[in-house]
Structure formats: C-alpha cells, structure tokens
Amino acid sequence: MGTILGFPRMGQRRELKRMLESYWKNEIDAQSLMQESSALRQKHVSLLIDSGLSEIPVNDFSLYDHVLDSIVGFGAIPPRYKPLQDDFIRLYFAMARGERGANHNTKAMEMSKWFDTNYHYIIPEFTRDTLFDPTLMIQKLRHSIEEAAQIIKEKGATTKIRPVLLGPISFLLLGKSSDGSKVLDLLPRLLEAYCSIAEFCTEKGIATVQFDEPYLVYTLSKELQEAYKTAYKTVKDAYKGIEIFLASYFDDLAINADLVTELAVDIIHIDLQRSSFETAEYIAKRCKAISLGVIDGRNIWKAHISSLLSTLNAFLSEHSLQRCYIGSSCSLLHCPFDVRGETELDAEIAEWLSFSLQKVEEIQLLTSALSKGAESVATSIAQYDEAMQRRERSTQVHRAEVKKRVSEIDEAMMKRKSPYSERKETQKQRLQLPLFPTTTIGSYPQTAEIRKIRAAFKKQSISYQEYQDSMREEIRKVVDFQEEVGLDVLVHGEPERNDMVEYFGERFDGFVSTSNGWVQSYGSRCVKPPIIYGDLQRKTSITKEWISFAQSLTKKPMKGMLTGPVTILQWSFVRNDIPRSETAFQIALLVRDEIEDLEKEGIGIIQVDEPALREGLPLQSEKHSEYLDWAVKSFRVASSGVEDTTQIHTHMCYSEFNEIMRTIIDLDADVISIEASRSDMELLEAFKEHSYPNEIGPGIYDIHSPRIPSTEEMIELLQLARKYINDEQLWVNPDCGLKTRQWEEVSLALRNMVSAAHFLRTRK
Ligand code: GLN
Ligand code: ZN
C-alpha cells in the first residue's frame, strides 16, 4: 500500500502564498480566500488520486500552519484573542501574525522551528485553565473529508483517505505554559476533545486516522511514556473500528521501539531515513501493521529504487505486504513541488532529482514492483538505475582535488597562531577601537530599487558594469551613513546578496539554485534552498571586490562578511552520498580561501555568520557531541588561517545558549554578536558561568520589530549586560542584520544606539 504522510501546501507556483498575501492586502475577501484555497487543495487531492497511491492523507493542508490549526481547531485560544472569536478567519490570522488596528494592537503568537527543519510553527500557549473544544477541528475535517470523497467519487477511484491530526502528546509538548502549570496536566481534557472527533470520523466512513507524534523519537521520561500509553489507550477505546496510524519521524525510533509497540495503535510509521530496517523488523514483529518511510521527505534526491527493492523484498519475506505501507519518511511539506518546473537546470543534474510529485511516483513504482513483480515495471527501474549510475560516476560530482584538500585538513589548520589572550593585544594595537565599540551585523535595508537591479542583472538585462556601479553607489551610501552616525566598525551592507546562503551557493561549483524549488518556511514565506550536488570549488574570489571597495571609502575598519560552513550546509539541500560533515569541511575550505583573500586586501575584521549552528543539532541528545565536534571543527578550519592581528567575529541569532555554550567557546572567535534584546540579557548568564574570555556583542536593538528603541532603553540593556560581562568585552550592536527594516527606522535606532555607547564611555 503506497502512501505519504502529508503533501506540500503552497502549490506548484506558490498559489497559496499569492492568495494569502492578496487577502492580507484586502485585495480579496475571506470568502474568496476560502474558495481559492479549497480549489488548490482539491487540485492536490486530485493529483494524489491520479498518482495511484492507495491511501492519501487529508486534513494535512493548512492556511498558515498545522499547529495553529490544532490550536484553533481544539479551541485552545489564548484569552487576548477572545474578542475576535466571532470572526474565525480574522481570529486565525490575528493569532498567526498579530493585528494592528486604529485602537488596538494584538500581538502575534510566538513561532519556533519545527524540530530540525526550517519550517516554523506557532507555539501553543496553555494555562492550567485551558479548555478544549473540537468544534472547529470537526468543521475543518468535514471540509477536507467531503472534498476528497467527492473527487474520489467523481473519478470512480478506490483511493482511501486518511485524516491527519497532530497527536495529543506532541501537541502539548510543542506548547508552552504561561502560568507555570504543567502542560501534561491538560492531557485528560485534551483527550476528551480528541475522542469526540471519533464519532464524526465513523460517521464519515473513515477507516484510518493518522496521529503525528514526532516526540516519539526523543528520549522520554517515565512520565511521558506513561502519558503516551494512557493517551493511545483512551484514543483507541474511543475510535472503535477505526485504525490508528501512529506517525513518528525525524530521528531513530529505536530508542522507543518497545514503547511504540506497547501503545494501543494499529499501524506504526517509522522514518527509514533516520531509523534502520532492523528497528523496523523489531517493531513489525510486535505490531499489527507497519508503515515504512523509505522515501526521503527531507531531501531532493532520486531514490535508489533497485537497492530499496531488494531490502524491501528481504523484509517482506518475513512480513506480508498487506500489513505494510510503503511511503515517505515524513510529510512532503519539506520538499519542493515538481522537478519538471526546473527547466533552467543542467539536464544532467536535473535527472538526479526528485521533488514531491516525483517522490509520489517513486512510492508508486515501489508498490507496483512489490505487488506485481519487478518485471512489470522493469523499464522504469532500469531508468532509475541508469540515472543513479550516471550520478555516481559524474565528473560534476567528483573532483579529486577537492577530496584531496579535505583529506589534508589537519589540527594545525583548526588553530589560530596564538591564544586569544595574546591575539587580543595585537588586535587592540591595530584596530584602536574605543571601549564599547559599535557595529552592525552586516545587511542594511534592502530597498525595492536594489532588488530590481539585482534581478535585472540576473536576467542579463543590464551589464556587469551597470550592476557594479549601482551596487557601489549603494555601498557608498551605507558607508557614508555609518560615518555620519559615528559607528566604529563599518560594514558594506550586503546589497549584492539576495540571501546569505544562496549568494555563496550560486558562486560555488558543486551548487545549483533552482527556479521553483520553494519550501514553506512559515505562513506565506517560502525559501528556495540551493542544492549541493558535488564536490565544492570556488571559481574566483567572491566578496573581495565589494569589501575592499567599501574599505577604500573609509579610514574606519571595514568588517568583511561571510556565511559560515554550518549555516550554508543547514540551509541547503545536501548530498546524500557523503556524510554532512564532509560537505561542511569542503565549504569550510572555501570560506577559508575567502578569508585569506580579504586578509590580503588589508581587511582587519572578518565576520563568519553561523545563525544555523544551533538548529543543526540532532534531535537525540546522544548525537549532539558528534555533530558539535565537526561543526566546531569546520568553523575553525574556515576561520583559523588568519594572522593574530585579524579579528574574527561570528554572529548567531537565537537565544537558547546554554545547550551549546561549550561549542561557542570552542569556536574561539574573537568576538561574537548574538540576538539578546528580547531576553533582557539573561542569556549572558551562560557566558558569565563559563567565564567566557572573548568579546561579546549582545544585540540591544530588536530588528524583528518596527519599534525604535530609545537611547535610555538601550543604555539600560547595556547596563544589564555589564552585570554579566566585563566592559572590555562588551560590543554594542543590533540583534541581527537590518535587511528587512526601513531606512527611517534604522537611521533613528542606530543613532540612539551610538548615543547609548557614548553615554557609557563618558559616564563609566
Ligand atoms: N550578516 C547577515 C545579515 O546581516 C546575518 C543574517 C543572519 O544572521 N540571519 O543579514
Ligand atoms: Zn542574525
């Protein structure tokens, strides 16, 4: 039986994004939004039915986020939104994005990353008084079930539909309690709401319901294990005659293999990209049915159909196919839509790729081969085999010089010439910076004008000369502005970069960008991760021309700006034929070359951004140290080739530091800037605890908000920071890049920031 756990929502041409944004701009009304989104959903259901999958998910669609759908669907609406309750759509988007009106200002709910993906979900807010009510969830289910059933009927198909729900335990664990109560205490109440959906499902003739429980791949306390047992016993009792399909994904299920088989569920889904077939064997022997997530829902490579078939055949010699689903490792939400949209791609590379629709075809191919025999689909299988062989042998993939260089990385390359205490002195001599030096994180506002010029150059409708002139003009403007405001360490403003990862990706051999490979990041926002397909090489120096031009305009130090190896890796689709760590080292060498070029140009400060360092952490804590080890090493390979007098900065933007404090110290960057303004500097506690010796710039301007902080406010934050770190260590800077802000805001906020630093210098 072929199936997938969920399908991308955006649409082939990001139709959902367009309709949402038109609705938010009041160009279409709520009714049109509902109609258009329903049409999009129906199109997707139709595609899935035609693909031949035997069972397809429904209710996995969401206008904004599936966790928000659970919050609203189960009525867990925080009190501040209650006044909007009569207008469901308004309520929903007020929770997602906040609402600003003439005399009210409703804040959005908080967002966070969905496990180790780049998708953001809305964090449920609970209190001990939270009540649940499934009315809206039933309504949503009704729409999606009826819609799909109608299409199946029209087509005369036999496809089964399987409603998807976020499992109750994961729903609670994803949330936060705002009154100190324990979220798990809400379980009995929440289960009641889940159970009252059962009757509706039976009425609709539903045979199977999918419960997503990604928390099942974590190490679970005794209490949580018990909660899982109770929850699914209660669910199973209520869903009489309906099969419970329990979905886990994103890490190795082996740690809870015994637990899942003790749960009162019928089908257990295992992510076979992250778990082994042995674990699947173990579970299959102890449960009614198993769902084998063999097709990678997190990456874009064609599957090795032949080798999968032999593994599956071996597995099926012990288990009957009737008791197995063959499917995607997780929801296809994290994959782009259709590789056939990539007409610009190098044909050789395009042949190796598989986006959502192709993944569905792969599942179909596997199930046909398993049920009707491989001969029945021999031609397709042969095509896969040939494509795989071409990929394995491709000279675009394998470059001996790159492999050799990586193999020659040694300890010495990961070490600065002298320890920080000595470097500090030579840097001080060279840079002559005041106490509390002021700087920014790199980007300045990206105006429509800049985007237009970049786009024109990309389309080759303007010459390189014209493009360079415009970018230089922008750099000059940014430099003049910083001089005028009185910042101490300047930046060039990054006008030439569309995105901090894609920009470098486009300039490395071994990387390709897609034209339509969009993946939802949050709400209507999508990202287009570049694809790393081969050993990485740099054609020529990338940043030198811009940074040295910027430096030529000022006597103040110009900070060179680069993206670090882990962030480039994390925000790209990566190779699956070599370990992630090896790709990280390949990138590290290229960043090292960039740094060397900048240093030769006389640039004295270079920042290597690693905002994604933390999110690369594997879910299971036993795997953290292995990851952190190569993550640190790759940063150090990138940044340690410089002279003592060159100051290396890094930047991170998230606030949970404790967990990776050791790693931050190990990076041995001379200066680190971090997002901090929302946390009232409390995160500096960790730096104090570890007596972090290097310099730190805790952000004092929240760049995610249009608000302009006053000088006094920033002084206050700096005073707080001084409780944790010495004056000699403290830098003054915003939380992150200023790319998304308006010039007027930036201008006012940075002037206040510089005044705050001046105040401290004079009143010390
Ligand atoms: N240098 C980048 C910028 O200023 C850093 C962005 C980030 O941390 N996400 O935009
Ligand atoms: Zn940042």
Side-chain angles (χ1 to χ4, degrees):
M1 272 189 286
T3 196
I4 55 172
L5 295 196
F7 195 69
R9 305 151 185 163
M10 273 300 140
Q12 186 146 26
R13 279 176 286 279
R14 286 182 296 158
E15 292 91 329
L16 180 59
K17 176 189 180 67
R18 304 257 148 66
M19 54 186 98
L20 283 170
E21 292 174 0
S22 310
Y23 170 70
W24 293 333
K25 280 191 246 157
N26 280 324
E27 291 166 4
I28 60 168
D29 62 10
Q31 202 192 350
S32 317
L33 174 65
M34 293 320 254
Q35 275 164 2
E36 287 181 28
S37 57
S38 161
L40 180 65
R41 220 162 37 225
Q42 292 179 42
K43 194 170 138 195
H44 293 171
V45 168
S46 220
L47 277 170
L48 290 181
I49 296 169
D50 294 345
S51 74
L53 291 180
S54 53
E55 193 169 301
I56 61 172
V58 295
N59 200 43
D60 56 326
F61 182 86
S62 172
L63 280 174
Y64 198 93
D65 162 44
H66 55 274
V67 182
L68 178 61
D69 290 7
S70 290
I71 302 172
V72 175
F74 287 111
I77 297 167
R80 64 178 179 283
Y81 303 102
K82 290 266 155 84
L84 300 173
Q85 216 153 9
D86 293 336
D87 184 346
F88 157 73
I89 296 278
R90 201 175 138 197
L91 167 80
Y92 182 86
F93 288 119
M95 291 168 74
R97 326 171 54 231
E99 197 183 80
R100 275 213 241 171
N103 40 27
H104 71 287
N105 200 341
T106 317
K107 253 182 44 188
M109 292 180 77
E110 233 186 297
M111 265 189 323
S112 184
K113 292 218 172 184
W114 177 247
F115 301 92
D116 60 347
T117 73
N118 206 3
Y119 174 83
H120 301 68
Y121 71 95
I122 303 275
I123 305 177
E125 278 174 42
F126 300 120
T127 66
R128 60 171 58 83
D129 302 320
T130 303
L131 296 176
F132 300 100
D133 169 359
T135 312
L136 289 174
M137 186 53 85
I138 293 181
Q139 223 176 77
K140 184 178 175 234
L141 279 167
R142 182 187 305 280
H143 280 301
S144 36
I145 292 173
E146 287 176 359
E147 241 170 42
Q150 178 64 26
I151 304 172
I152 291 172
K153 197 167 140 207
E154 278 163 19
K155 289 185 185 276
T158 54
T159 322
K160 289 201 322 176
I161 52 178
R162 186 180 70 238
V164 179
L165 294 171
L166 177 58
I169 306 272
S170 292
F171 181 27
L172 289 176
L173 296 181
L174 286 165
K176 273 191 198 159
S177 151
S178 57
D179 63 354
S181 59
K182 269 177 58 187
V183 291
L184 265 194
D185 290 346
L186 296 171
L187 185 59
R189 248 184 259 163
L190 179 61
L191 284 176
E192 250 176 69
Y194 271 82
C195 290
S196 50
I197 297 177
E199 202 179 319
F200 170 77
C201 292
T202 310
E203 211 178 277
K204 287 283 157 200
I206 294 298
T208 313
V209 177
Q210 173 179 329
F211 286 79
D212 279 13
E213 288 285 7
Y215 274 97
L216 278 172
V217 298
Y218 284 93
T219 307
L220 300 171
S221 64
K222 264 264 145 327
E223 186 193 12
L224 273 172
Q225 297 187 23
E226 288 311 312
Y228 264 113
K229 289 182 198 163
T230 323
Y232 283 90
K233 175 157 190 343
T234 314
V235 165
K236 186 67 202 169
D237 283 347
Y239 287 67
K240 280 184 228 51
I242 294 179
E243 290 195 313
I244 306 296
F245 181 113
L246 182 70
S248 69
Y249 38 79
F250 296 159
D251 213 331
D252 190 350
L253 191 56
I255 53 166
N256 288 315
D258 283 318
L259 172 68
V260 289
T261 54
E262 280 173 47
L263 301 180
V265 297
D266 303 279
I267 303 132
I268 295 171
H269 175 85
I270 176 168
D271 175 344
L272 283 164
Q273 289 296 321
R274 309 262 169 119
S275 311
S276 69
F277 260 94
E278 287 83 72
T279 307
E281 288 275 357
Y282 183 88
I283 291 171
K285 284 200 183 106
R286 292 164 180 80
C287 69
K288 270 173 75 182
I290 191 155
S291 165
L292 305 168
V294 287
I295 298 296
D296 194 350
R298 294 284 296 273
N299 214 335
I300 42 69
W301 303 106
K302 256 191 186 147
H304 280 269
I305 298 291
S306 289
S307 71
L308 267 178
L309 270 179
S310 46
T311 319
L312 286 168
N313 274 319
F315 184 88
L316 291 168
S317 63
E318 301 268 330
H319 310 273
S320 104
L321 184 58
Q322 270 62 49
R323 289 181 51 232
C324 292
Y325 283 83
I326 309 292
S328 59
S329 62
C330 58
S331 164
L332 298 179
L333 177 64
H334 313 288
C335 264
F337 199 89
D338 184 358
V339 84
R340 282 168 301 192
E342 298 305 323
T343 45
E344 311 274 298
L345 260 188
D346 177 304
E348 186 186 359
I349 297 167
E351 187 196 44
W352 308 332
L353 306 180
S354 164
F355 292 178
S356 295
L357 287 185
Q358 288 69 47
K359 290 189 186 271
V360 170
E361 286 166 18
E362 290 175 354
I363 295 169
Q364 214 21 50
L365 185 57
L366 287 173
T367 46
S368 303
L370 292 170
S371 55
K372 299 184 212 126
E375 323 74 62
S376 66
V377 280
T379 327
S380 304
I381 295 176
Q383 278 167 0
Y384 268 87
D385 286 348
E386 284 155 22
M388 297 278 89
Q389 281 159 13
R390 283 192 285 267
R391 179 178 166 205
E392 273 157 30
R393 286 196 303 256
S394 170
T395 51
Q396 292 213 70
V397 173
H398 302 286
R399 297 170 214 259
E401 334 66 293
V402 179
K403 292 195 202 310
K404 176 158 181 286
R405 234 188 126 192
V406 171
S407 72
E408 285 166 1
I409 292 176
D410 58 15
E411 291 289 325
M413 285 174 80
M414 299 177 202
K415 251 176 103 168
R416 295 287 297 265
K417 296 198 168 59
S418 315
Y420 174 71
S421 54
E422 288 167 35
R423 288 180 342 240
K424 185 167 87 182
E425 294 311 319
T426 49
Q427 289 169 18
K428 217 165 156 180
Q429 289 283 323
R430 174 181 184 185
L431 296 167
Q432 297 289 328
L433 293 170
L435 200 57
F436 311 117
T438 54
T439 190
T440 52
I441 308 305
S443 57
Y444 270 76
Q446 293 238 333
T447 57
E449 185 59 20
I450 301 179
R451 287 179 214 277
K452 226 162 68 195
I453 294 162
R454 269 201 322 255
F457 176 58
K458 197 165 183 185
K459 273 195 266 137
Q460 297 182 337
S461 53
I462 58 170
S463 69
Y464 182 74
Q465 193 61 52
E466 285 170 273
Y467 164 74
Q468 191 188 45
D469 288 349
S470 308
M471 291 300 131
R472 286 188 163 193
E473 201 180 306
E474 181 65 25
I475 292 173
R476 188 185 296 276
K477 179 173 138 192
V478 171
V479 172
D480 288 350
F481 167 82
Q482 296 172 89
E483 292 262 24
E484 196 240 313
V485 171
L487 285 146
D488 302 307
V489 171
L490 311 197
V491 297
H492 79 295
E494 304 180 22
E496 78 285 11
R497 305 186 191 173
N498 40 356
D499 171 274
M500 65 190 289
V501 170
E502 199 175 14
Y503 179 74
F504 289 95
E506 281 169 356
R507 283 154 187 82
F508 289 155
D509 286 329
F511 251 99
V512 274
S513 295
T514 63
S515 21
N516 275 301
W518 298 101
V519 179
Q520 187 175 16
S521 170
Y522 62 89
S524 68
R525 208 186 131 76
C526 301
V527 292
K528 207 157 48 97
I531 298 170
I532 305 178
Y533 64 86
D535 291 332
L536 297 169
Q537 266 174 332
R538 196 177 60 140
K539 299 180 189 77
T540 70
S541 183
I542 299 168
T543 54
K544 186 171 87 179
E545 66 164 304
W546 307 113
I547 312 284
S548 49
F549 171 74
Q551 181 67 84
S552 75
L553 303 172
T554 178
K555 294 213 155 47
K556 292 202 167 159
M558 177 59 57
K559 181 161 66 165
M561 203 54 63
L562 299 166
T563 307
V566 180
T567 299
I568 293 184
L569 182 82
Q570 197 61 27
W571 291 348
S572 304
F573 285 119
V574 297
R575 291 170 68 174
N576 58 355
D577 58 339
I578 58 173
R580 290 173 81 77
S581 54
E582 193 167 328
T583 304
F585 284 118
Q586 291 189 6
I587 307 170
L589 289 170
L590 304 187
V591 178
R592 186 178 170 104
D593 295 343
E594 274 297 305
I595 294 180
E596 191 183 316
D597 292 347
L598 291 175
E599 196 177 36
K600 276 197 205 128
E601 293 286 306
I603 302 298
I605 306 184
I606 298 161
Q607 178 172 311
V608 181
D609 289 327
E610 281 292 19
L613 188 80
R614 164 76 182 46
E615 78 184 48
L617 268 187
L619 300 187
Q620 295 180 352
S621 50
E622 305 79 69
K623 298 179 186 147
H624 286 186
S625 62
E626 191 232 334
Y627 160 76
L628 291 171
D629 181 61
W630 62 253
V632 168
K633 283 185 177 148
S634 66
F635 181 90
R636 292 181 64 141
V637 167
S639 63
S640 299
V642 293
E643 295 301 322
D644 286 348
T645 45
T646 300
Q647 188 171 67
I648 296 290
H649 288 219
T650 188
H651 164 72
M652 287 175 201
C653 38
Y654 42 78
S655 21
E656 298 133 65
F657 265 90
N658 281 317
E659 215 177 347
I660 57 159
M661 199 56 216
R662 191 61 246 165
T663 305
I664 290 172
I665 296 175
D666 290 345
L667 294 179
D668 199 27
D670 299 304
V671 183
I672 172 173
S673 62
I674 47 170
E675 177 176 333
S677 70
R678 284 195 198 189
S679 77
D680 280 339
M681 303 292 138
E682 269 163 24
L683 85 167
L684 295 178
E685 184 66 51
F687 288 89
K688 186 178 175 177
E689 239 168 64
H690 287 80
S691 26
Y692 183 67
N694 306 19
E695 292 164 51
I696 311 164
I700 56 169
Y701 163 25
D702 175 9
I703 60 90
H704 295 106
S705 159
R707 245 187 98 249
I708 293 149
S710 66
T711 305
E712 293 68 39
E713 230 175 277
M714 294 202 261
I715 293 174
E716 218 168 281
L717 286 174
L718 288 169
Q719 301 290 28
L720 279 175
R722 291 169 80 186
K723 294 199 178 132
Y724 302 100
I725 45 185
N726 299 326
D727 288 356
E728 291 67 37
Q729 288 178 286
L730 184 56
W731 282 65
V732 176
N733 50 255
D735 268 341
C736 190
L738 304 167
K739 183 170 164 169
T740 55
R741 297 263 60 87
Q742 302 291 317
W743 265 109
E744 305 79 73
E745 298 159 8
V746 164
S747 170
L748 293 169
L750 292 184
R751 280 172 218 276
N752 291 349
M753 189 184 90
V754 170
S755 306
H758 279 280
F759 178 89
L760 288 201
R761 276 175 214 159
T762 47
R763 301 291 165 82
K764 215 168 83 77

